[in-house]
Amino acid sequence: MPALKKIALTITSAALLSGFVLSPAAAADKDKSDDKQPKPPSTMSSLGGEQLGKAGTQVNLGPGAPVLPKKLSGRSWIVADAESGDVLAAHNSHWRLPPASTLKMLFADTVLPALQPTTLAHKVTENELSGVGEGSSLVGIKEDHTYTVHDLWLGVFLRSGNDAVHVLSEMYGGVQKTVDAMQAHAEELQALDTVVVSPDGYDAPRQVSSAYDLTLIARSGLQKKDFREYAATASADFPGEKKKGKKRESFEISNTNRLITGDIGVDPYQGIAGVKNGYTTHAGNTFTGVAERNGKVLLVTVMNPSAEESHAVYKEAAHLLDWGFAASGKVTPVGQLVPPRSLDTGTGIGGKGATPAAGADQGPGGQAEATHASASNGSSGVGTALAIIGGLLVVLAAAVFLVNRRWPMAGRTRRTETETAETKAAEDTGAGEEADKAGKNAEDTDEAGKDAEDTGKGVEGDPEGAGATASAAPTDKS
């Protein structure tokens, strides 16, 4: 009997021991699986507020505030009030990640003012296209063909055309000069997480940005009327190949920002007004958007969602915008979008100086004009802008950007030449508020990253209709 008891105890002990041994092993396997997902750095910038330097989700819910959307898979994201600069919620917002073609927002914000007028024509050379990365998203620019600056910007914003970026860069003074100017402009905007290596966002060693920086950059760019118009354009005609003895034809390009144009599984977002989407092999899908509802304008950036569903970056951005509009006034901000360094705000978060902030619309004599673009489809979009009086920046308390114009809403995609002429006349006589400028450049083109987002592989953009096919090599398109 004692022998049987001893055997029984031995068997029981063995069973218990196996349980203790196997359970940690199973947990270790799970931890090992979790470790495959990149982790944010333990130390990140706290520019804009201490909470923004912390890893993980940051939100301060007040009474009646809705909870954040479930199943947000972006490695980094941010929701901010475009007008006040309040950051309503954030997740690893200073994590420095590859930006893909969202970096084209910085390219445009830097270069747009220098390449005027938009009617300026340029004949493309072979050398200007030689530096375009393999597998790049293309709008379909041909050497020895002439394009206006307006055409090229449509190619950048709608089609995310790296060919258009390189041509504009050469017109600006060369790729390296452009990169240097973009880096300097990022530093002026206090987008200090950003390192620029290529002007188009093509994957490059050390090239990074952050959700926080991309939101700062978008906020600056959206103060330029040309930038707003291009970013809000749903579709446009782009010059095609010129054949001897025949009239030059054009082809249609569409904006690959699916919150503007919609797609299978994604509806156009109510009040959307831009800004830019992107995709590269290393960056995954990235997106910065701006939308208006009931007089409230929000900015959202989502970087590299891990969800495998189609168009996850747009869906998560839309959920965050919905939450932001519902939560506005019911949360305590977790931080602020800082002003450019050139602003002397007295708050300790900006730099000194009285020079106009980057992106201010410039009128005659270099003074910025407080202009207005009407919202489309009856929407009462509100914009953030800087007003310049006598060359000095008017800043509200705590560096709040002055509201003095409407956002151009997406939807007015194509206007007749007569409408455009009437709008121009209204501007020249001072009779209008930039009457319906949202539709003027409604010919802006579609970003090339659409199909790449659907598949999570391949190209930066959607080559269909662009007159060029992206190669199957490593893809840095967006």
Side-chain angles (χ1 to χ4, degrees), residues 40-60:
S42 57
T43 302
M44 292 182 286
S45 169
S46 59
L47 182 66
E50 290 298 325
Q51 274 190 268
L52 298 180
K54 298 178 180 179
T57 301
Q58 307 299 318
V59 63
N60 302 324

Side-chain angles (χ1 to χ4, degrees), residues 20-36:
F20 286 126
V21 171
L22 290 175
S23 294
D29 287 343
K30 184 178 185 300
D31 291 342
K32 186 176 179 182
S33 174
D34 291 342
D35 286 343
K36 291 180 181 179

Side-chain angles (χ1 to χ4, degrees), residues 103-108 162 165-166 169 175-176 178-179 182 196-202 207:
L103 193 66
K104 287 183 173 77
M105 295 188 297
L106 179 60
F107 170 73
N162 288 1
V165 170
H166 278 256
S169 294
V175 170
Q176 190 56 53
T178 302
V179 166
M182 290 170 65
V196 184
V197 178
S198 68
D200 49 25
Y202 191 93
Q207 182 156 270

Side-chain angles (χ1 to χ4, degrees), residues 132-150:
V132 178
E134 186 177 6
S136 283
S137 51
L138 307 172
V139 67
I141 292 172
K142 306 291 185 184
E143 61 182 87
D144 297 325
H145 283 59
T146 299
Y147 302 86
T148 65
V149 168
H150 178 67

Side-chain angles (χ1 to χ4, degrees), residues 101-117:
S101 279
T102 47
L103 193 66
K104 287 183 173 77
M105 295 188 297
L106 179 60
F107 170 73
D109 195 33
T110 303
V111 175
L112 255 173
L115 298 183
Q116 298 292 335

